[in-house]
Amino acid sequence: NLWTLKHIAQCYRDMGDDRRATEYMLAAETLAPDDMQTTLQCADCLMSAGRSEEALNRFFKVGFQHPESTRARQGIAWCAFLSGKYDQSRRYWTEILSASPTQQDYLNAGHLEWCSGNIPLAVSLYRRSKEMSDANAFTSSFTSDIPVLLSKGITSTDIALMLDAVLKS
């Protein structure tokens, strides 16, 4: 049943097995194709499993059915970024940042701008992210995204310099 499939998926996510978690969430989604939370959870699993295009489709589905869903807009912006669709990602981050942005929203928008080559704006967005939390929380969130930054061509040296520039300000 739906409850069991979703809980098995969560157990696999907790164990770090994104592939298996995704299998179970896809099965859960077939039982509740119009349930927004199930679709969002499925999209999260797909994103974690490196299937950002499939996740993007689900975030668009939720965004179409529930235009007020900030979570859908955040998912679209992040998946578009992961997929290299920087202009699309920027449109969504601009919208998100003009509403009620979170610390993570500023961080993710900073990643987009850095990977797009807009270093001054990236630094500004990272500083806003840090201001909304503390240095340890910012550093933890930032470092968890290092594999993504590396995959986008940002070097380890540049990552260290950026962290230093943001944390020392």
Side-chain angles (χ1 to χ4, degrees):
N1 71 26
L2 181 62
W3 185 92
T4 303
L5 291 170
K6 290 172 81 169
H7 281 79
I8 292 171
Q10 186 58 50
C11 288
Y12 278 117
R13 286 195 87 182
D14 291 345
M15 294 186 314
D17 190 340
D18 295 322
R19 185 187 62 77
R20 295 291 303 269
T22 301
E23 289 175 20
Y24 280 94
M25 277 311 302
L26 287 169
E29 187 182 40
T30 62
L31 295 178
D34 295 323
D35 180 65
M36 180 176 83
Q37 288 304 318
T38 301
T39 303
L40 287 171
Q41 290 168 335
C42 188
D44 286 337
C45 282
L46 287 162
M47 198 168 34
S48 295
R51 296 163 63 177
S52 57
E53 286 291 332
E54 292 173 78
L56 184 58
N57 290 334
R58 280 158 176 89
F59 284 123
F60 273 126
K61 174 184 173 182
V62 172
F64 180 75
Q65 293 175 339
H66 304 276
E68 76 287 352
S69 173
T70 300
R71 179 66 191 99
R73 286 191 301 278
Q74 290 166 324
I76 291 167
W78 185 247
C79 284
F81 167 69
L82 292 176
S83 299
K85 299 173 183 174
Y86 291 172
D87 289 338
Q88 182 180 51
S89 179
R90 185 173 291 106
R91 282 192 303 275
Y92 279 88
W93 285 126
T94 300
E95 180 184 324
I96 292 164
L97 295 180
S98 70
S100 298
T102 66
Q103 177 266 339
Q104 190 69 40
D105 293 330
Y106 281 112
L107 179 75
N108 291 343
H111 293 338
L112 167 69
E113 294 305 333
W114 191 11
C115 293
S116 297
N118 192 342
I119 295 171
L121 182 53
V123 170
S124 174
L125 290 165
Y126 287 146
R127 286 180 178 158
R128 295 285 304 269
S129 176
K130 185 186 88 170
E131 290 167 4
M132 292 183 77
S133 59
D134 60 56
N136 290 335
F138 170 80
T139 302
S140 176
S141 294
F142 186 95
T143 56
S144 71
D145 290 338
I146 287 175
V148 172
L149 295 171
L150 291 170
S151 76
K152 297 291 182 185
I154 305 294
T155 67
S156 297
T157 301
D158 287 340
I159 290 170
L161 291 171
M162 180 62 81
L163 267 174
D164 190 53
V166 173
L167 294 174
K168 302 297 183 200
S169 62

